[in-house]
Amino acid sequence: MKKISLLMLFLLFFASFGSAVHAEDDITGTPFEEDLRALIEAGIMTGYEDGTYQPEKSVTRAEFTIFINKALELDETELDVPADQFSDIQVEDWYYDSIMTAYSHGLINGYPDGTFRPKEIISRQDMAVMIMNAADSKNIISERKELAFEDNDKIREYAVESVERLTSLGIISGKQHKDGTLFFAPYDETSRGETAAVINRLLKVLYPPEDPTEELDFKVASLTELEDPVIEGEYETYEEAVKNAEANQVVLSGNQVVWISEGAAVANTKATIFTSESFTSHATYIQAGIEVELLNVNENSLEVKIADTEGFVKKEEFNLIPVHLLKGKSYYSVKEGNLHHYIYFPITDDLRTYMYGPAPSFMNEGTKYYSDNGNSFFDENGNHAGEAYQYFNRMPLYTETKYTAEQLNEYLEYGRPDNLLIGTGESFKKAEELHGTNALYLMAHAIHESTWGTSPIAVTKNNLFGINAIDSDPMAGAKTYDDYETGILEAAKDFIVPGYFNQVNWKANGAHLGNKSSGMNVRWASDPYWGQKIAGFMYRADAYLSEKYGTDPEYGQYELAKTVTPNVNVRSTPETGTDNFLYQMKKPASNVQILNTIEGKGTWYEITPKAYGDHDYEQAFVYSHGYTAYGTSLEKLPIAE
């Protein structure tokens, strides 16, 4: 049976005993008292400063959005949404992050005129649409139940299916006249009490309590797009249901899919990938909406792969979508000589794109290529098309850029006119000189993380990197700096270098951008393409500045190699010994920049030494390969060009 979450235990307890354990207040004896107390105790709904909860007060569209986000425990720290998505919502608005989060998860759409109208009271039919979108985001399977409301014809077409499905799930039941007839009242305003009722019922559908009287817990079903599910059989155990399910059929527990033979696993919340099924040690994490490669479906877990990392995830944190219902797939393609990544989000049926860097020579324009890690590419038939890494994604970030502060400022002015980062070039170069963070990288990082300085945290706290923006309350948790330069220098000195460049730290998986298997991206961001997007900004800036000044681009200026074994020694001379040890690269897939090749006992590379903290080395050398007694330590990376 599916385990009940801690949140659900709160809900069940207070649904049964809420009115008995609370002193009398303005929700005691009201129609939705149990639901209100459940949400209050779960931290989803709060009262007012005077101690009241005002259950009859109408709820605005912004307020309802916030309630839904809290109920679904959505992460508001990483938003891949244009700042001007809605014309009537500004970054300084207190509800900005919540509304943009809901939009990125497919919970809201706004109006055709580009507005969201956050201060309008939400109607019952709009409430129904948002609640159904929330249920869909968790892959809840439901039927369309014929409505028996006397005002069916007054429900707008866009809301009819949501009302039908919510009625089938028991989340909406309508209102009742004195004569017993039911009506829906689609245009009525939604009160705080009604809001508590529908959200509490939604949570009971998402996290159903175990029912000791229910004998058959699992159902085999056939799912067809735009049609109600067809139940093919009911079984007591998960194993029996899986054994009797045919290829395109699924196994349901309650209203959720818990087994498929083939298809996609998509995170429905910020999800952790663990190293074992015991869920004790985590490898990395990803944001909601991201698809991972599904390796195996177990009763209580999924075995998945993201980039080159395999692990286990909690089944309730993922939607299982059978292959015949998938509408799209992420892919890479070539446009004007550059490599563009098109990311498909199955839950919202949405496609987003960014430019990664130059397209590898083996790619053809007009052809789709598929890759889980951004460097191994396959065609539509599954044939291996080639291997190519993006230079800026794998370049060690403690290297120096040749571009001056003035040139970085020129790019900032060119890249996005009137952006709020213009003039910070000196600060990025100062961070490079003082703390060893490549200024071109640091600028690109700030551009991406702060959306050119326009994010609420950047605007209000001079925090360009989201430092300390914890998931539970990113705005309150984010560190405040006196100005941009202070924030840039302190972020480099106190956070980036010690946390992600120094491999003694648990966060560090190589001082390069990387992905969910190596580099900063493993534990900096839940977006698995965070490092690739920043590499794209570096490439744009480098291409613009090198062309303008007639210089060689920094992209591909050196060969790169990665460690293929742990604990690779870096030495002051190209030979083994006891007196020339400098430091170790402790983790595989740590990258180095090759300056020269030396042949001796095997092949050695002179590399760019680390240049931060206590590191200040004139030369550094690493053994690579070719001497049997030493084995192989490094492997050169084929760079896309």
Side-chain angles (χ1 to χ4, degrees):
M1 299 289 289
K2 186 173 182 179
K3 294 183 178 179
I4 304 176
S5 68
L6 182 61
L7 172 62
M8 202 57 224
L9 290 174
F10 273 128
L11 298 180
L12 292 174
F13 180 84
F14 286 100
S16 301
F17 304 105
S19 59
V21 299
H22 286 79
E24 186 169 327
D25 52 29
D26 67 333
I27 62 175
T28 301
T30 60
F32 303 111
E33 178 181 357
E34 292 181 353
D35 299 303
L36 284 160
R37 295 205 189 282
L39 265 62
I40 291 166
E41 296 298 334
I44 297 171
M45 186 174 284
T46 57
Y48 292 90
E49 292 183 357
D50 62 359
T52 65
Y53 293 98
Q54 303 182 34
E56 299 300 325
K57 184 179 179 180
S58 297
V59 174
T60 66
R61 289 168 56 81
E63 290 171 333
F64 192 84
T65 300
I66 292 169
F67 292 144
I68 290 293
N69 287 359
K70 287 184 177 181
L72 299 182
E73 299 179 349
L74 298 183
D75 173 22
E76 296 185 355
T77 60
E78 294 177 19
L79 303 175
D80 190 12
V81 182
D84 58 353
Q85 178 62 47
F86 298 110
S87 61
D88 57 347
I89 296 178
Q90 310 301 319
V91 293
E92 59 269 19
D93 293 332
W94 62 271
Y95 42 70
Y96 173 86
D97 278 353
S98 296
I99 290 174
M100 293 305 180
T101 297
Y103 177 79
S104 69
H105 285 79
L107 306 184
I108 61 174
N109 293 306
Y111 290 91
D113 64 358
T115 64
F116 180 71
R117 306 175 194 176
K119 298 178 183 179
E120 281 190 6
I121 302 301
I122 191 167
S123 67
R124 283 174 50 80
Q125 61 186 349
D126 284 355
M127 170 199 70
V129 172
M130 287 183 63
I131 288 288
M132 195 63 237
N133 286 343
D136 285 339
S137 76
K138 298 294 186 180
N139 207 27
I140 295 297
I141 305 300
S142 59
E143 299 178 347
R144 296 187 67 166
K145 183 176 181 179
E146 185 176 352
L147 299 177
F149 301 125
E150 67 171 19
D151 56 353
N152 287 346
D153 59 336
K154 294 182 180 179
I155 303 174
R156 295 285 296 274
E157 183 178 355
Y158 71 83
V160 170
E161 181 176 346
S162 295
V163 177
E164 290 174 340
R165 293 191 179 279
L166 291 176
T167 302
S168 171
L169 291 168
I171 294 176
I172 281 180
S173 57
K175 299 183 178 183
Q176 193 171 29
H177 289 299
K178 290 182 179 180
D179 62 3
T181 58
L182 294 174
F183 64 104
F184 182 68
Y187 296 97
D188 278 11
E189 297 180 351
T190 302
S191 70
R192 284 168 61 86
E194 290 171 319
T195 295
V198 294
I199 291 179
N200 195 24
R201 293 169 195 160
L202 170 66
L203 288 169
K204 290 178 180 178
V205 170
L206 296 180
Y207 311 105
E210 294 186 7
D211 184 355
T213 66
E214 187 177 346
E215 296 182 356
L216 302 177
D217 298 321
F218 299 95
K219 301 179 178 65
V220 172
S222 295
L223 302 181
T224 306
E225 188 177 2
L226 303 179
E227 295 184 14
D228 289 341
V230 177
I231 305 302
E232 309 288 357
E234 301 185 33
Y235 304 90
E236 283 191 40
T237 67
Y238 172 84
E239 290 82 1
E240 285 181 296
V242 170
K243 183 179 179 180
N244 286 279
E246 297 182 0
N248 282 335
Q249 294 175 343
V250 304
V251 173
L252 301 177
S253 176
N255 296 96
Q256 291 179 300
V257 177
V258 295
W259 179 88
I260 57 176
S261 62
E262 183 182 5
V266 185
N268 59 40
T269 187
K270 186 175 180 179
T272 299
I273 290 85
F274 294 88
T275 58
S276 71
E277 202 171 7
S278 63
F279 302 137
T280 53
S281 177
H282 78 272
T284 187
Y285 61 106
I286 59 173
Q287 67 185 36
I290 293 298
E291 179 182 350
V292 296
E293 183 180 351
L294 182 61
L295 303 178
N296 195 34
V297 183
N298 306 315
E299 182 168 5
N300 298 310
S301 70
L302 305 175
E303 295 176 50
V304 302
K305 183 178 180 182
I306 181 75
D308 297 310
T309 297
E310 295 184 10
F312 295 82
V313 297
K314 296 178 180 179
K315 188 178 283 188
E316 62 267 23
E317 294 182 347
F318 283 78
N319 292 356
L320 291 175
I321 306 174
V323 65
H324 68 282
L325 293 183
L326 285 172
K327 299 179 182 179
K329 187 176 181 180
S330 299
Y331 65 92
Y332 291 82
S333 70
V334 181
K335 184 178 180 182
E336 298 180 350
N338 293 321
L339 184 63
H340 292 256
H341 189 193
Y342 294 82
I343 312 169
Y344 180 67
F345 293 82
I347 293 177
T348 57
D349 191 24
D350 185 24
L351 199 66
R352 302 174 196 169
T353 186
Y354 64 92
M355 196 266 281
Y356 189 9
S361 58
F362 56 77
M363 288 188 176
N364 299 313
E365 194 155 345
T367 301
K368 292 181 179 180
Y369 298 90
Y370 303 92
S371 176
D372 293 327
N373 57 17
N375 52 267
S376 298
F377 297 92
F378 298 83
D379 63 21
E380 291 183 330
N381 297 318
N383 300 313
H384 187 238
E387 186 89 5
Y389 291 81
Q390 290 294 322
Y391 184 82
F392 287 127
N393 183 256
R394 298 291 168 157
M395 180 191 79
L397 300 177
Y398 49 76
T399 55
E400 292 185 14
T401 178
K402 67 184 179 186
Y403 296 118
T404 66
E406 293 76 15
Q407 290 170 334
L408 295 181
N409 282 329
E410 282 189 62
Y411 176 72
L412 288 170
E413 292 180 10
Y414 164 80
R416 182 167 168 174
D418 301 323
N419 80 79
L420 301 180
L421 297 180
I422 293 173
T424 54
E426 290 81 1
S427 301
F428 294 121
K429 287 299 288 186
K430 189 177 292 186
E432 180 179 74
E433 179 183 355
L434 295 176
H435 307 305
T437 48
N438 182 285
L440 181 64
Y441 142 69
L442 202 59
M443 179 187 72
H445 187 163
I447 289 171
H448 174 67
E449 201 83 46
S450 71
T451 315
W452 297 86
T454 64
S455 72
I457 290 175
V459 170
T460 61
K461 298 197 170 188
N462 295 316
N463 187 337
L464 300 178
F465 305 99
I467 305 300
N468 292 344
I470 58 175
D471 299 343
S472 58
D473 196 346
M475 180 58 75
K479 190 168 182 178
T480 300
Y481 299 101
D482 292 337
D483 49 50
Y484 277 165
E485 179 165 302
T486 302
I488 290 168
L489 295 178
E490 289 192 17
K493 176 179 178 289
D494 299 331
F495 201 81
I496 295 173
V497 168
Y500 295 88
F501 287 12
N502 184 356
Q503 291 202 6
V504 174
N505 192 297
W506 65 271
K507 296 178 182 178
N509 285 73
H512 59 277
L513 289 167
N515 55 25
K516 280 300 173 184
S517 295
S518 73
M520 291 178 67
N521 203 166
V522 174
R523 291 190 174 87
W524 180 290
S526 60
D527 177 2
Y529 310 113
W530 173 89
Q532 298 187 184
K533 293 171 183 175
I534 294 175
F537 281 114
M538 293 178 70
Y539 175 69
R540 288 189 190 92
D542 179 49
Y544 171 78
L545 291 173
S546 62
E547 181 177 359
K548 179 170 183 178
Y549 288 95
T551 60
D552 291 334
E554 293 192 347
Y555 182 95
Q557 65 179 328
Y558 295 104
E559 290 186 294
L560 303 178
K562 67 177 179 180
T563 57
V564 294
T565 184
N567 302 320
V568 174
N569 294 325
V570 180
R571 301 179 180 278
S572 60
T573 57
E575 58 190 342
T576 58
T578 57
D579 298 331
N580 63 350
F581 173 81
L582 299 179
Y583 56 88
Q584 274 190 339
M585 293 181 286
K586 295 185 176 296
K587 297 181 181 180
S590 298
N591 292 349
V592 297
Q593 180 173 274
I594 300 172
L595 304 179
N596 290 300
T597 301
I598 299 96
E599 298 296 343
K601 281 189 176 181
T603 298
W604 290 71
Y605 295 136
E606 181 184 359
I607 65 171
T608 303
K610 293 181 178 180
Y612 56 83
D614 295 330
H615 300 299
D616 187 16
Y617 308 117
E618 292 185 6
Q619 286 183 297
F621 299 86
V622 180
Y623 164 77
S624 175
H625 63 281
Y627 187 63
T628 304
Y630 298 164
T632 299
S633 297
L634 297 178
E635 177 184 297
K636 283 187 178 180
L637 300 178
I639 301 301
E641 55 183 0

